[in-house]
Amino acid sequence: MDKFSVLISVYYKECPAYLDTALNSVFEQTVVPSEVVIVKDGKLTSGLDSVIDLYQEKYPEQIKIVSLPQNVGLGQALNRGLEACTSELVARMDSDDISLSGRFKKQLSVFKRFPKIDVVGGWISEFIDDPHNIVSVRKLPEHQEELLRYSKKRSPLNHVSVMFKKSAVLQAGSYQHFPLMEDYYLWVRMLMNGAQFYNIQESLVLVRNSNEMYNRRGGFRYARTESRFFKYLYKIHYIGLFLLITNVCIRFVVRIIPNRLRKQVYLKTLR
């Protein structure tokens, strides 16, 4: 259990400087991974390739590259990367986030103390421009029963903060194609499969926040995808009719209101 992999997916629209900071935060941990699997989701820019090449030269025994000929989306890219991970424990990381020092050590400690746990997540702190400029914290419940209830309304884990057992993810069908909802979809299937979750009650990852982020979480396309997702949860009897109607109506309003109002909802209500 001391060995673990870190799984990162990168595609061409991402920022080389952010990727550099993300990878640096991985290798500056108090406990470093045995391998870092980087999935190139389609052809990248020369800047992104240069950052990856630099880290591959610096950590040749730990960096493993999975190159996909074309962009396939996050869910499928993570599946390919997960296949390449050789450790049972796998930590997720986005290419523009910053793992706080001690993150992996704290997660490994939970797995050692509670061997039946399958996924260990934590809170995330969102910042604008400067990592010290924290504007919000996404806090989540700690224990299984709380997380089961929470999962019927919102995702019970911050995807970029998790470390999970590869076998438990594969047993639930791994990541599957459900644009914008790949992680939530996985967590529900894992919970239905009997997987045990736990959230450390502190921030483990710093996540970039901007007006563009709220723009991406708005619009009719996002609203339709969420509605389809909760209809699926109703179809498989994970939620009842009341929660279906409540979830769809509230989320639909949040997705179609002006961006400045949606930002306030996130900052004042959802964090």
Side-chain angles (χ1 to χ4, degrees):
M1 283 299 184
D2 288 331
K3 291 186 176 182
F4 65 98
S5 306
V6 172
L7 175 58
I8 303 174
S9 178
V10 185
Y11 82 123
Y12 76 98
K13 287 187 178 181
E14 297 175 43
C15 173
Y18 294 169
L19 175 61
D20 180 45
T21 301
L23 289 171
N24 191 56
S25 76
V26 168
F27 286 104
E28 284 193 340
Q29 292 284 311
T30 51
V31 178
V32 295
S34 53
E35 66 179 3
V36 177
V37 177
I38 301 174
V39 182
K40 293 184 177 183
D41 188 8
K43 185 177 180 180
L44 303 182
T45 63
S46 59
L48 289 167
D49 278 328
S50 294
V51 172
I52 294 172
D53 290 344
L54 178 66
Y55 277 87
Q56 194 166 29
E57 290 175 10
K58 193 173 182 181
Y59 304 100
E61 295 183 359
Q62 290 160 285
I63 297 289
K64 181 185 292 187
I65 308 298
V66 177
S67 296
L68 306 182
Q70 60 186 16
N71 180 262
V72 296
L74 183 62
Q76 293 184 53
L78 291 179
N79 269 339
R80 293 290 298 276
L82 190 58
E83 291 173 3
C85 292
T86 58
S87 301
E88 166 65 349
L89 291 181
V90 179
R92 269 286 292 122
M93 177 97 179
D94 273 356
S95 62
D96 58 351
D97 296 334
I98 304 170
S99 282
L100 290 167
S101 179
R103 169 196 166 178
F104 299 146
K105 183 177 181 179
K106 291 170 184 175
Q107 291 178 299
L108 290 171
S109 176
V110 174
F111 282 112
K112 287 178 181 178
R113 286 187 290 125
F114 306 105
K116 292 185 179 180
I117 296 291
D118 296 295
V119 188
V120 177
W123 300 349
I124 58 174
S125 293
E126 297 173 321
F127 70 93
I128 295 178
D129 298 328
D130 187 328
H132 295 98
N133 182 28
I134 305 298
V135 296
S136 63
V137 179
R138 186 176 187 232
K139 300 180 179 181
L140 292 172
E142 183 175 7
H143 297 291
Q144 182 77 0
E145 290 304 316
E146 301 170 287
L147 292 169
L148 276 169
R149 291 192 296 270
Y150 192 88
S151 69
K152 296 179 185 298
K153 297 180 180 180
R154 299 182 64 195
S155 178
L157 299 165
N158 288 313
H159 189 198
V160 299
S161 77
V162 300
M163 182 183 285
F164 54 67
K165 291 178 180 174
K166 178 179 176 179
S167 58
V169 170
L170 295 179
Q171 285 168 11
S174 197
Y175 289 94
Q176 294 182 15
H177 186 64
F178 209 123
L180 308 176
M181 310 295 285
E182 290 95 345
D183 57 326
Y184 197 171
Y185 186 31
L186 173 60
W187 310 144
V188 167
R189 285 183 283 112
M190 290 184 73
L191 288 169
M192 293 184 71
N193 204 41
Q196 299 292 304
F197 291 179
Y198 179 83
N199 276 317
I200 294 172
Q201 298 297 284
E202 62 180 281
S203 289
L204 301 180
V205 180
L206 301 179
V207 176
R208 296 177 191 277
N209 186 307
S210 66
N211 286 329
E212 178 57 30
M213 184 191 77
Y214 301 111
N215 272 326
R216 290 196 303 269
R217 296 180 181 180
F220 284 100
R221 177 173 173 264
Y222 207 115
R224 286 196 299 270
T225 298
E226 283 189 324
S227 296
R228 186 164 63 91
F229 178 71
F230 283 102
K231 287 177 182 176
Y232 167 78
L233 297 190
Y234 174 71
K235 182 179 179 181
I236 63 173
H237 307 294
Y238 194 75
I239 60 173
L241 182 60
F242 175 76
L243 276 180
L244 168 64
I245 295 171
T246 302
N247 286 333
V248 169
C249 290
I250 292 175
R251 286 169 177 268
F252 188 83
V253 171
V254 171
R255 300 311 168 199
I256 64 172
I257 59 177
N259 193 50
R260 59 184 178 83
L261 295 179
R262 182 163 49 253
K263 179 178 180 180
Q264 292 305 310
V265 170
Y266 268 88
L267 293 178
K268 304 297 184 182
T269 307
L270 300 180
R271 295 291 185 265

